[in-house]
Amino acid sequence: MVMAQLSPDDKRRGRRRAVPAHAEPPRTASDLRDWIRDEFPLIEEQEARLVGAIESVLAGQRQLVEESKHEAMRALSEGFAEKLSRLQRQLTEKDVTVSKIARYFEELVASLTEKSHRDPKTKLLNFDWFMERLESFLSVEQRGRWCGIGVVDINSFKWYNDTLGHAVGDKIIERVARILADQIRSEDFLALERGGDMRDLHARFGGDEYCFLIPDLPGCAEAVEIADRFKHAVEAHDWGRNDRRVSKRRVQVDVGVVCLHLGPVAERRGVARKLAAELIHQADQLMYDAKGRKADHVYRTAVEVRDSSLVEIQADFVKATTKRAAARRT
């Protein structure tokens, strides 16, 4: 009886190993070749072409990933702040998920450069750097009599963000920041030129909050006057000029100011960091008190340092010139 001759391919098919259904998928190129050989009845040429095609696709994908990495690094090194600003403008029409991505990129930009002390959105100082400068100021300042530390919050900001969209919310944050930098000006009352180190005294506290330091004042009344001027400037701004929907609900801010009587520098030097944190905390609490009472004026208090702690004191919050003008009217 003549038996049929098996071709080499038939023999290879006959030698296929049974692969358990629960076998793990291939992890390496060698595993992939064995898996193809076991799973598919291919001749050697077909098997080689299939493996080659798969490896070619994977190599292309790896190249695309590497190119994407290099392009991302180039974008950051060539001026990531400008590219981020352009990206943010494109993302402002997106929903809250995209807004989170923008915030992530803001944080990424700040962390990628040690020399960057500014908030990418508002161009104000970031809060950490502001606190370092406040601590330094408290440690060394000897010429000033009073200083003012304030915290600002945009009233009902969530309504603008949720009702009008994150693009409008971002514009409001940026505009209030510009008004803050324009209106809270320490040079209004500086007797001496401080130089470049004391010009930038405004910071983004986080979200829709800001803080500021007025470093050299003759009294508490001047700190309140500056803060009140800023508050009224925000309310007087033409918010409907770029988007009429904003004019339906006037943008307002709540402000809390702590006036610190500086006193001897020796009282502050060893506890400057602690005092800086306490001053911001008190200003923040005053701001929330104003918000809770829907106040139409700046909430303020006066303190001085005694035994390494802040102690509330009585202070005159009305300028002498204002008192004289009132006396003449009466």
Side-chain angles (χ1 to χ4, degrees):
M1 182 177 188
V2 180
M3 298 187 63
Q5 295 292 324
L6 294 175
S7 68
D9 292 335
D10 292 334
K11 292 178 181 179
R12 290 177 68 249
R13 294 188 188 99
R15 291 198 302 270
R16 290 176 62 197
R17 300 191 300 270
V19 179
H22 64 274
E24 293 185 359
R27 296 180 180 275
T28 66
S30 178
D31 292 345
L32 179 62
R33 291 191 188 93
D34 291 342
W35 184 80
I36 292 174
R37 187 176 297 117
D38 291 337
E39 288 292 321
F40 302 102
L42 303 176
I43 62 176
E44 290 184 4
E45 181 182 354
Q46 291 174 325
E47 178 184 312
R49 287 171 59 194
L50 176 59
V51 173
I54 292 173
E55 290 182 343
S56 177
V57 170
L58 293 176
Q61 292 298 316
R62 285 193 293 269
Q63 183 177 355
L64 286 175
V65 170
E66 290 301 317
E67 289 175 353
S68 297
K69 288 180 181 178
H70 290 310
E71 176 60 27
M73 294 303 295
R74 270 198 306 273
L76 290 172
S77 62
E78 290 172 358
F80 51 79
E82 181 179 343
K83 289 181 180 291
L84 175 63
S85 178
R86 184 165 60 251
L87 177 60
Q88 285 175 317
R89 288 195 297 271
Q90 296 170 353
L91 293 177
T92 50
E93 300 299 325
K94 303 299 181 180
D95 59 11
V96 64
T97 302
V98 177
S99 182
K100 289 180 179 178
I101 295 174
R103 286 196 296 272
Y104 166 76
F105 274 100
E106 290 178 6
E107 295 169 0
L108 179 62
V109 169
S111 65
L112 285 175
T113 171
E114 295 180 0
K115 295 182 179 179
S116 175
H117 298 306
R118 295 194 173 274
D119 171 65
K121 186 188 295 295
T122 64
K123 305 303 185 290
L124 300 180
L125 298 179
N126 63 45
F127 182 66
D128 288 341
W129 182 234
F130 173 85
M131 290 301 290
E132 285 188 30
R133 293 185 64 177
L134 176 57
E135 179 185 345
S136 176
F137 170 80
L138 294 172
S139 297
V140 302
E141 179 58 31
Q142 301 183 60
R143 294 172 292 181
R145 290 165 287 173
W146 292 83
C147 69
I149 297 90
V151 171
V152 178
D153 179 80
I154 301 175
N155 202 317
S156 303
F157 178 74
K158 189 175 185 300
W159 182 89
Y160 299 104
N161 230 22
D162 294 348
T163 306
L164 305 183
H166 293 275
V168 174
D170 286 349
K171 293 296 182 185
I172 291 175
I173 286 176
E174 293 168 7
R175 174 57 62 181
V176 171
R178 284 196 287 271
I179 297 174
L180 177 72
D182 183 58
Q183 296 294 328
I184 306 290
R185 299 190 304 267
S186 59
E187 60 264 28
D188 287 348
F189 298 100
L190 285 178
L192 299 173
E193 177 60 44
R194 293 296 198 191
D197 190 46
M198 290 308 297
R199 279 201 294 264
D200 294 322
L201 307 168
H202 326 93
R204 188 179 180 190
F205 200 166
D208 59 321
E209 293 187 15
Y210 313 83
C211 52
F212 59 85
L213 164 67
I214 311 172
D216 190 355
L217 296 170
C220 283
E222 286 74 15
V224 176
E225 177 189 349
I226 293 175
D228 197 56
R229 179 180 66 192
F230 158 69
K231 178 176 173 65
H232 285 94
V234 171
E235 295 172 0
H237 181 73
D238 183 9
W239 291 101
R241 182 171 55 188
N242 297 323
D243 192 326
R244 288 181 295 177
R245 296 176 300 167
V246 182
S247 61
K248 295 178 181 178
R249 188 165 184 168
R250 185 176 59 174
V251 177
Q252 297 177 302
V253 291
D254 297 301
V255 186
V257 175
V258 178
C259 301
L260 172 64
H261 182 247
L262 289 165
V265 68
E267 288 277 351
R268 297 177 262 118
R269 184 172 289 132
V271 290
R273 178 172 297 183
K274 170 177 172 270
L275 295 176
E278 289 180 0
L279 286 165
I280 285 293
H281 175 74
Q282 287 197 23
D284 192 46
Q285 187 59 56
L286 286 168
M287 180 274 292
Y288 275 106
D289 289 345
K291 180 182 293 292
R293 293 173 172 81
K294 302 186 186 312
D296 60 357
H297 59 277
V298 173
Y299 267 43
R300 75 278 187 188
T301 190
V303 297
E304 67 179 12
V305 181
R306 294 180 194 166
D307 298 326
S308 303
S309 297
L310 296 178
V311 178
E312 188 172 357
I313 60 175
Q314 294 295 320
D316 194 347
F317 291 101
V318 180
K319 291 178 65 176
T321 54
T322 304
K323 290 179 179 179
R324 288 195 292 269
R328 285 196 296 269
R329 287 196 299 268
T330 57

